[in-house]
Amino acid sequence: GWIPLGSQEAEKNKKAMEIVSEKKYRQHPDKLKFTSLTDSMPMVLAKSNAMHQSDRLYREAWEKDKTQIHIMPDTPEILLAKVNLINTSDKLYKIGRAH
């Protein structure tokens, strides 16, 4: 029978013919039109992972932040280190022995 152009049935048949087309099936990959969506979830995830794994960015962030880190002087580990320094000081040991 007769099928009007642009009808749903005609478009469905056209698409089916494209799918089974041997010429399109065997075309070289270079001739395929391909564009990647930059805002698709896999692309966003890949960019994010690349940024997190970047050694250069990691080192830049560390160089920037290492001068900003402030440790409180009364932190127990800092106090312990100062006491240990005094206890193991050869100079203070000799001064204490002379008295």
Side-chain angles (χ1 to χ4, degrees), residues 12-22 24-25:
K12 191 164 62 169
N13 289 341
K14 190 187 217 181
K15 190 68 178 169
M17 290 302 290
E18 283 180 19
I19 291 171
V20 297
S21 168
E22 191 70 19
K24 286 199 174 198
Y25 176 74

Side-chain angles (χ1 to χ4, degrees), residues 21-34:
S21 168
E22 191 70 19
K23 184 179 177 184
K24 286 199 174 198
Y25 176 74
R26 298 207 184 270
Q27 72 181 346
H28 198 270
D30 291 341
K31 295 184 181 182
L32 289 174
K33 293 178 183 173
F34 175 77

Side-chain angles (χ1 to χ4, degrees), residues 4 13 20 48 50 69 76 82 91:
N13 289 341
V20 297
S48 174
I69 296 173
K82 287 179 181 179
K91 180 181 173 186

